[in-house]
Amino acid sequence: MRTVEKKRPYGLSLLLSTVILLLEATLALVVAVLYGLTQESSAMAPTGGSPLSVVLLPLFALWAATIAAALSVALVLPTAWLSDVLGRRFGGREVWWWVPVVAAAVSLLTVGGVVGLSGGGAGPLALATGWFLTTAALTVPALLCRSRRKRVFGPVTLWGVTAVALTAVLGGVSLGTGVLTMYEPPVLARTELVGTWSDGRGGTLTLSADGRATTSGIDDSPGDNRKGCTGEGTWGYGTGTSRQYRGVGVDVPTCGREVWNVGGTEDRPVLHRNVLRSVERDDADRYELTRAAAR
């Protein structure tokens, strides 16, 4: 006679769900880093790291585990429980395929709530992507929490770590072989910078071939502290403020000296610099100029 395995105690289910969510988050982080290396933001990142990050690593791990446990209690375990209830109610027995159905509904409510609280600025594609990824992230731990196998922690951890390591290795190989292209700022000649650049709000920066620079209404002050810069001066082409970038140094006596990094792409180059938004929080916004007229 076949013995029926008992359900896993709530505490162990919570622990299993937490471990799976942490593995999923680590995998998502690796994918995000690999994708970020192909975007312009990677070239703006500072080199090296702070020794303080090593000290804070255990605190970050504890914070991540706490968040994963909270999400398990609020979303994963209720999804597993509700799928079993619906299976017994409409089919007479618990079936696994109710889990993705319930996860899809829970994800829809969760993503919708987050978008609503954030002001609803996301587009349809972003909403659909967020819903799909959230559904998948809930389905996997909910399915495994329903499993009545005694030995599940070892295989889950082994396969999870293997997936993370394999993704990192394949990503590194793809970057090294050119399958994925790491972002590099466009290499422009000095003559290609000559012309008028605009911030799209009426501010312009005109660079002349003889080294003269003219600003008109350039307003890179944060918030409502608007103070347009208008004047004439000089410009040069040299080292930028961030790694990998070359910079356009603009020296206008009435406005001071500013360095604009050359970014964007070969087809759409931009000049940009960071504007400090909050001294207390050390927040900065990107202020960008695009070509306003042909030379």
Side-chain angles (χ1 to χ4, degrees):
M1 182 176 178
R2 183 181 177 182
T3 59
V4 179
E5 297 282 356
K6 293 183 179 181
K7 285 188 175 182
R8 187 173 291 102
Y10 183 86
L12 291 180
S13 296
L14 175 60
L15 178 60
L16 177 61
S17 175
T18 301
V19 170
I20 296 172
L21 288 181
L22 288 174
L23 289 171
E24 289 180 341
T26 305
L27 180 61
L29 178 61
V30 171
V31 173
V33 169
L34 291 172
Y35 175 75
L37 290 174
T38 67
Q39 305 302 303
E40 185 175 1
S41 57
S42 66
M44 299 176 62
T47 57
S50 171
L52 185 61
S53 60
V54 178
V55 178
L56 295 178
L57 187 60
L59 294 178
F60 174 77
L62 178 61
W63 173 81
T66 302
I67 297 298
L71 291 175
S72 297
V73 172
L75 299 176
V76 176
L77 297 183
T79 296
W81 171 79
L82 184 57
S83 65
D84 287 345
V85 171
L86 292 176
R88 291 193 300 268
R89 174 66 177 81
F90 294 102
R93 62 189 181 90
E94 300 172 0
V95 287
W96 69 268
W97 52 262
W98 270 106
V99 174
V101 173
V102 175
V106 172
S107 299
L108 184 61
L109 294 175
T110 302
V111 173
V114 171
V115 171
L117 292 175
S118 63
L125 180 59
L127 288 174
T129 303
W131 169 78
F132 175 78
L133 293 177
T134 305
T135 299
L138 290 180
T139 298
V140 173
L143 279 173
L144 290 173
C145 283
R146 293 179 67 258
S147 172
R148 299 185 182 184
R149 295 181 180 179
K150 292 182 178 179
R151 297 181 179 180
V152 68
F153 281 90
V156 164
T157 303
L158 176 62
W159 284 107
V161 172
T162 300
V164 172
L166 188 60
T167 301
V169 170
L170 289 177
V173 171
S174 298
L175 288 171
T177 57
V179 175
L180 293 177
T181 304
M182 186 176 295
Y183 173 81
E184 293 183 359
V187 180
L188 302 180
R190 179 185 172 90
T191 55
E192 295 180 272
L193 295 168
V194 174
T196 300
W197 302 78
S198 170
D199 64 1
R201 302 195 299 269
T204 60
L205 169 64
T206 301
L207 305 177
S208 301
D210 59 2
R212 289 184 297 108
T214 303
T215 62
S216 176
I218 289 293
D219 187 1
D220 57 1
S221 53
D224 297 328
N225 239 355
R226 306 187 71 79
K227 54 170 187 178
C229 172
T230 299
E232 295 185 354
T234 59
W235 71 281
Y237 191 29
T239 305
T241 61
S242 302
R243 66 183 177 92
Q244 299 185 11
Y245 282 112
R246 292 194 69 184
V248 177
V250 178
D251 191 357
V252 177
T254 56
C255 307
R257 177 175 171 80
E258 294 179 338
V259 176
W260 298 85
N261 292 312
V262 178
T265 62
E266 296 285 350
D267 297 331
R268 185 183 178 276
V270 300
L271 301 180
H272 64 89
R273 62 188 299 269
N274 290 329
V275 180
L276 189 64
R277 182 175 57 190
S278 171
V279 177
E280 293 79 7
R281 294 180 297 175
D282 196 24
D283 290 338
D285 285 328
R286 176 178 167 120
Y287 184 57
E288 185 175 283
L289 303 177
T290 56
R291 192 173 295 281
R295 299 189 299 273

